[in-house]
Amino acid sequence: MAKNIVKQDEDIKKKSNFEITIRLFKYMKPYKFKVFIVILLMIFVMACNIANPYLLKTAIDKYIAGDDLKGLLKIGIFMVGINLIAMFASRIRIKSMASISNNILLTIRHELYSHIQKLSFQFFDSRPVGKILARVIGDINSLQELFTNSVTSFIPELLTLICVTIVMFSMNYKLALSAIVILPFLALSMFFIETVSRKRWQVFRTKRSSVNAFTHEEFSGIRVVQSFTFEEKKSKAFVELVKEMMGAFMKAVKLGDLFWPLIEFSSGIGIVLVYWYSVKLIDKGNITVGTLVAFTSYIGMFWRPIMNISNFYNSLITNFAAAERVFEILDTKPDIVSIHDAVKMPRIKGNVEFKNVTFSYEDGGVVLDDVSFKVNSGETIALVGPTGAGKTTIVNLISRFYDAQRGEVLIDGKNVKDVDIESLRSQMGIMLQDTFLFSTTIMENIRYGKLDASDEEVIAAAKAVGAHEFIMKLENGYHTEVNERGSRLSVGQRQLISFARALLSNPRILILDEATSNIDTFTERIVQRGIKKLLYGRTSFVIAHRLSTIRDADRIMVVDGGKIIEEGTHDELLRCKGLYYDLYMTQYRFLSEGA
């Protein structure tokens, strides 16, 4: 799996052409009747095109040679009629296939999006968001041409090629052989180009993914970039990435552009051989002028589908790299899933127990080492300790965002691995230090905690946590639109909205991970009342570095080095004069000196 580094190229597992083709065309199965109709229309159009040279031969050899003006007029009207019908049929089949292709892309995009939502934090920890977006948007868009051309170009052109070849051999097998003698050379050349070209397109898409990831990261952190005047440095890095992407693109395109010259060269050689040989046959009286004219038309019809099929093949090579990238994520199995016979989690009472839990991240050392504790329903547990001690990991295991390598995490006596994930998480409220708000109104952001909540319930939740007053001062009150991530609001205001959202969801287990760290002292006093209401009647886990905010916790667990080294109330831990005492006194002295 790729590392979470923007500039590092992704390592995509190569799949065979056959495997990708079969998998892609399975998406056409729901539209098989519509595709069948499209194919029938294409067969009709193809039959009309193939009939034209033969009708022309008949007109020359029979009606012109026989001076039959009436017969010539009839065949002319007939040719105009069938070609008009063929034109409308072709228009209908192109529109129909475009609609089918768009629906297929919608299906694949939705399948990919839904699948990514099910993947665990481990997946998102290992790759930048921009590289994921590149799969969902750019790579899937690249498949549209493939689906459209596969039916509207490849199938009719292949059928045309087969039919034209049969007609040519039936007319004169010697002329037919002279026309196709160059095909083995063309096939070998195309095979060589395909082998090298696909690798180059894979490199290009990987480079483009890195550019997307870099751009996403750059604009997400634009405040940091501008604050430290990093614009020029970032611009240079962007230019370097774009140069690498364009270099990879040019290498792929230059090789891909050899397809057309090869086809044109082979076509020219074939036509020269046919004319050279046909002159001898005409001199000997073995063929008529009409036959030569018709055969010349069929030669064009023979090489045109080869050109179009080659173009489709070139497109296939280009887009196989995109398909591989999409399937690479679809084939990534979620680490955290509900077991086959998982039961629905009943209404949680709030008893939590860790039994000899050991956990480590994929690319790191042991974070939790044989941790055991019990929490009773309704208790408020504070987790404190140095950064990286394992506090957040504990609450992530309770929510089952990760699974412990050893030991058990129990809620009301049930192992979290044995219950349905959705029924477990739907009864939990999680608030993080980095509060996320969506690009919609404040009302809708709070209602995210309970989608069927009335406006009155939303306002009541906001009042309970002290958010109502500042919301009403905004231009449109609760209907004020917030920007992406809530950038129009202060950090403290965003956290107050998150408190209201959490209260509205009425969780059975509440997790506050540094949720008050960015609130100023004045706002903290206001929100403490809301926090007490949030904590009342439910099991709560509070992670805080500001120790003054957790003095009233029922129990404080001090985590260090992956173990719980101290446990007790605020007063009890101060009397022990251990790590908690040192942390508390350090903060007290710091605040006193600052004062």
Side-chain angles (χ1 to χ4, degrees):
M1 184 174 285
K3 299 295 183 184
N4 194 14
I5 300 174
V6 169
K7 296 183 180 180
Q8 181 172 325
D9 293 340
E10 298 163 284
D11 183 20
I12 308 298
K13 184 179 178 182
K14 192 177 186 301
K15 298 180 184 293
S16 68
N17 292 352
F18 179 77
E19 181 184 356
I20 294 175
T21 303
I22 295 298
R23 191 164 176 179
L24 283 172
F25 279 85
K26 282 182 180 178
Y27 288 99
M28 280 192 177
K29 193 173 181 181
Y31 308 97
K32 55 187 177 183
F33 178 73
K34 291 183 178 179
V35 172
F36 176 71
I37 297 298
V38 170
I39 291 174
L40 287 181
L41 291 171
M42 288 188 298
I43 290 174
F44 174 75
V45 174
M46 178 197 69
C48 291
N49 291 334
I50 292 175
N52 282 330
Y54 186 81
L55 293 172
L56 185 62
K57 171 184 176 300
T58 304
I60 294 172
D61 289 345
K62 185 176 180 181
Y63 298 114
I64 294 178
D67 200 21
D68 185 353
L69 186 61
K70 188 176 181 180
L72 185 64
L73 185 62
K74 285 181 180 179
I75 199 170
I77 293 171
F78 179 73
M79 287 180 69
V80 171
I82 63 170
N83 279 282
L84 283 173
I85 296 172
M87 182 180 70
F88 284 109
S90 180
R91 187 179 180 85
I92 292 170
R93 59 107 174 175
I94 290 173
K95 281 188 174 181
S96 299
M97 198 57 223
S99 174
I100 292 169
S101 298
N102 285 329
N103 287 329
I104 290 173
L105 288 190
L106 181 64
T107 300
I108 298 175
R109 201 189 306 276
H110 183 263
E111 182 181 334
L112 181 62
Y113 179 81
S114 300
H115 180 74
I116 290 173
Q117 283 189 313
K118 296 174 184 176
L119 296 175
S120 65
F121 284 4
Q122 204 92 328
F123 172 83
F124 295 97
D125 292 341
S126 65
R127 66 186 72 212
V129 174
K131 292 190 178 184
I132 300 173
L133 291 176
R135 314 285 179 100
V136 179
I137 307 298
D139 289 332
I140 288 183
N141 286 344
S142 299
L143 299 179
Q144 182 166 17
E145 185 181 359
L146 188 150
F147 280 110
T148 302
N149 289 343
S150 64
V151 175
T152 59
S153 295
F154 177 71
I155 294 176
E157 299 294 359
L158 183 62
L159 291 174
T160 300
L161 184 62
I162 293 170
C163 293
V164 168
T165 303
I166 292 171
V167 171
M168 286 169 60
F169 272 91
S170 64
M171 290 179 67
N172 191 297
Y173 76 93
K174 292 180 179 179
L175 281 179
L177 285 173
S178 65
I180 67 172
V181 71
I182 197 71
L183 282 181
F185 164 77
L186 178 63
L188 287 173
S189 301
M190 289 178 65
F191 176 78
F192 169 77
I193 292 174
E194 185 272 340
T195 303
V196 180
S197 182
R198 183 172 169 188
K199 293 178 182 177
R200 292 189 179 183
W201 281 113
Q202 286 173 335
V203 172
F204 162 68
R205 294 197 177 277
T206 299
K207 297 293 183 184
R208 190 177 69 173
S209 178
S210 296
V211 171
N212 288 339
F214 180 87
T215 306
H216 179 272
E217 183 181 69
E218 160 80 1
F219 293 149
S220 296
I222 191 64
R223 283 180 169 80
V224 177
V225 173
Q226 292 183 354
S227 298
F228 288 91
T229 63
F230 261 37
E231 293 93 336
E232 186 176 349
K233 184 175 180 180
K234 287 291 185 179
S235 294
K236 288 180 180 178
F238 178 75
V239 169
E240 288 301 318
L241 285 173
V242 171
K243 283 182 178 178
E244 289 181 14
M245 180 186 73
M246 294 307 298
F249 176 75
M250 292 306 297
K251 284 184 178 179
V253 167
K254 284 177 181 177
L255 192 61
D257 284 347
L258 288 177
F259 271 96
W260 281 102
L262 272 173
I263 300 295
E264 294 285 358
F265 175 76
S266 302
S267 171
I269 295 295
I271 291 172
V272 167
L273 289 174
V274 166
Y275 277 116
W276 173 75
Y277 193 62
S278 62
V279 169
K280 293 183 177 181
L281 293 177
I282 290 176
D283 290 341
K284 294 178 181 178
N286 292 336
I287 60 172
T288 64
V289 174
T291 301
L292 177 60
V293 171
F295 205 91
T296 303
S297 297
Y298 281 123
I299 286 290
M301 293 178 66
F302 175 79
W303 282 103
R304 186 166 57 251
I306 290 179
M307 290 180 184
N308 292 335
I309 290 173
S310 300
N311 189 41
F312 170 73
Y313 187 54
N314 193 17
S315 172
L316 204 67
I317 295 167
T318 303
N319 295 316
F320 268 179
E324 276 181 328
R325 291 165 56 79
V326 171
F327 291 146
E328 190 256 346
I329 288 188
L330 286 174
D331 291 340
T332 301
K333 302 297 182 184
D335 297 324
I336 310 299
V337 294
S338 300
I339 59 174
H340 176 67
D341 54 349
V343 297
K344 295 284 185 181
M345 187 72 184
R347 181 174 170 80
I348 292 176
K349 296 176 182 177
N351 298 303
V352 178
E353 182 178 1
F354 272 45
K355 282 186 176 181
N356 308 111
V357 171
T358 296
F359 176 82
S360 60
Y361 291 102
E362 191 176 70
D363 54 354
V366 175
V367 180
L368 296 180
D369 184 12
D370 197 30
V371 172
S372 297
F373 62 80
K374 286 185 179 181
V375 176
N376 298 320
S377 175
E379 274 193 298
T380 296
I381 304 299
L383 298 172
V384 301
T387 301
K391 306 182 295 296
T392 299
T393 301
I394 289 175
V395 296
N396 280 340
L397 292 175
I398 295 172
S399 308
R400 210 192 163 200
F401 290 128
Y402 299 93
D403 278 337
Q405 279 83 28
R406 291 198 301 274
E408 293 180 301
V409 178
L410 307 173
I411 296 180
D412 295 340
K414 297 181 183 295
N415 193 320
V416 294
K417 293 182 180 180
D418 298 332
V419 299
D420 177 72
I421 292 177
E422 187 176 348
S423 67
L424 171 69
R425 292 179 185 166
S426 64
Q427 299 187 64
M428 292 187 173
I430 303 171
M431 281 193 58
L432 306 175
Q433 179 180 0
D434 183 19
T435 302
F436 190 95
L437 298 183
F438 296 92
S439 302
T440 182
T441 63
I442 290 176
M443 178 74 75
E444 292 305 313
N445 267 291
I446 297 176
R447 188 178 276 125
Y448 200 79
K450 182 185 176 185
L451 297 179
D452 59 349
S454 65
D455 290 356
E456 290 73 21
E457 288 177 296
V458 171
I459 294 171
K463 286 181 176 178
V465 300
H468 179 73
E469 185 177 348
F470 93 80
I471 292 173
M472 293 307 296
K473 290 180 181 178
L474 299 174
E475 52 182 336
N476 295 314
Y478 283 87
H479 298 288
T480 301
E481 295 276 346
V482 298
N483 297 341
E484 186 179 2
R485 302 184 70 88
S487 59
R488 290 183 62 185
L489 305 174
S490 70
V491 175
Q493 288 173 332
R494 295 202 297 268
Q495 288 184 319
L496 286 172
I497 290 173
S498 291
F499 276 122
R501 183 163 62 193
L503 180 62
L504 188 63
S505 69
N506 190 27
R508 302 305 306 150
I509 294 178
L510 178 67
I511 294 170
L512 305 179
D513 189 351
E514 293 290 347
T516 61
S517 62
N518 292 320
I519 296 179
D520 59 79
T521 306
F522 176 76
T523 307
E524 185 182 342
R525 290 172 185 162
I526 298 174
V527 85
Q528 282 301 327
R529 297 192 302 271
I531 292 177
K532 286 181 180 179
K533 184 152 188 172
L534 271 174
L535 300 180
Y536 180 75
R538 53 178 61 90
T539 304
S540 303
F541 292 85
V542 181
I543 298 175
H545 284 111
R546 193 186 297 176
L547 303 184
S548 60
T549 62
I550 47 96
R551 293 181 61 172
D552 296 331
D554 295 313
R555 268 191 292 162
I556 300 171
M557 295 182 184
V558 183
V559 186
D560 189 29
K563 293 181 178 293
I564 296 174
I565 61 171
E566 296 177 19
E567 184 178 347
T569 65
H570 172 72
D571 293 333
E572 289 171 347
L573 292 176
L574 285 182
R575 286 196 295 269
C576 289
K577 293 192 175 181
L579 179 59
Y580 181 80
Y581 174 84
D582 293 338
L583 292 171
Y584 185 81
M585 294 307 296
T586 300
Q587 283 193 14
Y588 179 78
R589 282 194 298 269
F590 175 77
L591 292 173
S592 298
E593 290 170 2

